[in-house]
Amino acid sequence: MGNSKSGSLSKELLEDLKLNTKYSEEQLYTWYQTFLRECPSGRISKEQFENIYASFFPDADPKAYAQHVFRSFDTDSDGTLDFKEYIVALHLTSSGKTMQKLEWAFALYDVDRNGTITKNEIHEIVKSIFNMISKEDQKNLPDDENTPEKRTDKIWNFFGKKENDKITEGEFIQGVMDNKNILRLIQFDEPQKVQERLKEKKQ
């Protein structure tokens, strides 16, 4: 495994990640060594995370979205992601189970982390998603969802909520499970592309 630092993935953490993600021991060691090479401190700062996104989306403005994704995975709110938070992030945004993905999506949209989602919070995330979609692709969106405001209204109406209502995590998950259309509206598939490109860089 090279020097002791590059191989110092603890057995407990390794077992935990193998159990909770789809990655094999070999993959996790490879990820870990790359992670340490790019982040010798063993932690990724918000700025580094934003830079990773920026390098993958040169034609878009991913900063706001990257900040929200970072917040949703910085579970201990210390302003950095450690290896476990990073791997869980990659796993969830690309291949997690539906329930795990929806729990993550709720955390993404719950901007102030108070356990409920408001229409304003949905608008904030949707706006950051629109910054990631090229102007050309935006032209191809249906008329009733081709602006952040229209898409926010469409999502909010799916849940049958009044303007100042709030959505709980249970309502959010149930609503998305019951209507696949909402899933399409709330998610952004690019994280999977990020992971694929990260893999290409590592080969």
Side-chain angles (χ1 to χ4, degrees):
M1 293 271 81
N3 66 41
S4 62
K5 186 173 182 191
S6 66
S8 63
L9 186 52
S10 76
K11 252 198 159 28
E12 292 82 355
L13 181 55
L14 189 61
E15 290 308 315
D16 185 16
L17 289 173
K18 270 164 60 183
L19 200 64
N20 291 301
T21 71
K22 65 181 177 110
Y23 304 123
S24 68
E25 193 163 321
E26 194 181 349
Q27 283 174 310
L28 288 166
Y29 268 120
T30 308
W31 283 108
Y32 188 62
Q33 287 170 346
T34 309
F35 181 83
L36 278 185
R37 211 165 39 241
E38 293 181 16
C39 312
S41 67
R43 295 189 161 272
I44 288 185
S45 69
K46 190 158 71 170
E47 289 70 28
Q48 284 171 305
F49 193 78
E50 286 169 19
N51 289 339
I52 289 171
Y53 264 76
S55 68
F56 291 133
F57 303 104
D59 305 324
D61 179 11
K63 187 172 180 177
Y65 187 74
Q67 285 173 347
H68 287 302
V69 173
F70 185 91
R71 169 187 48 76
S72 69
F73 287 118
D74 181 15
T75 48
D76 54 7
S77 303
D78 69 349
T80 62
L81 296 187
D82 61 20
F83 182 67
K84 181 179 178 180
E85 289 169 326
Y86 179 66
I87 287 296
V88 168
L90 283 177
H91 170 70
L92 271 188
T93 52
S94 64
S95 55
K97 296 189 178 95
T98 303
M99 186 58 81
Q100 289 176 315
K101 270 189 169 174
L102 293 180
E103 285 169 358
W104 168 67
F106 181 84
L108 181 71
Y109 278 85
D110 182 15
V111 176
D112 62 7
R113 294 180 166 178
N114 72 345
T116 58
I117 296 174
T118 63
K119 189 174 182 182
N120 281 342
E121 286 175 313
I122 287 184
H123 182 250
E124 189 170 331
I125 302 299
V126 168
K127 208 162 61 178
S128 73
I129 288 174
F130 263 74
N131 289 344
M132 307 271 283
I133 304 172
S134 73
K135 292 281 178 265
E136 208 48 49
D137 287 343
Q138 285 185 33
K139 286 178 192 165
N140 299 324
L141 292 170
D143 280 349
D144 62 347
E145 57 183 77
N146 62 3
T147 69
E149 291 70 28
K150 286 181 186 174
R151 184 174 281 204
T152 300
D153 283 341
K154 195 169 179 178
I155 293 168
W156 202 243
N157 292 338
F158 267 129
F159 286 102
K161 293 288 184 180
K162 297 195 181 92
E163 196 70 17
N164 295 318
D165 283 347
K166 293 178 176 178
I167 298 171
T168 64
E169 184 174 19
E171 287 177 310
F172 180 83
I173 289 172
Q174 197 55 53
V176 178
M177 296 281 247
D178 290 345
N179 195 320
K180 291 291 178 275
N181 248 328
I182 305 181
L183 186 60
R184 180 183 62 76
L185 290 170
I186 63 163
Q187 70 183 3
F188 182 60
D189 291 332
E190 296 301 345
Q192 186 156 2
K193 292 179 186 167
V194 168
Q195 190 190 14
E196 283 160 11
R197 289 182 210 178
L198 272 173
K199 277 183 183 164
E200 283 164 21
K201 274 176 85 176
K202 283 167 185 167
Q203 280 165 9

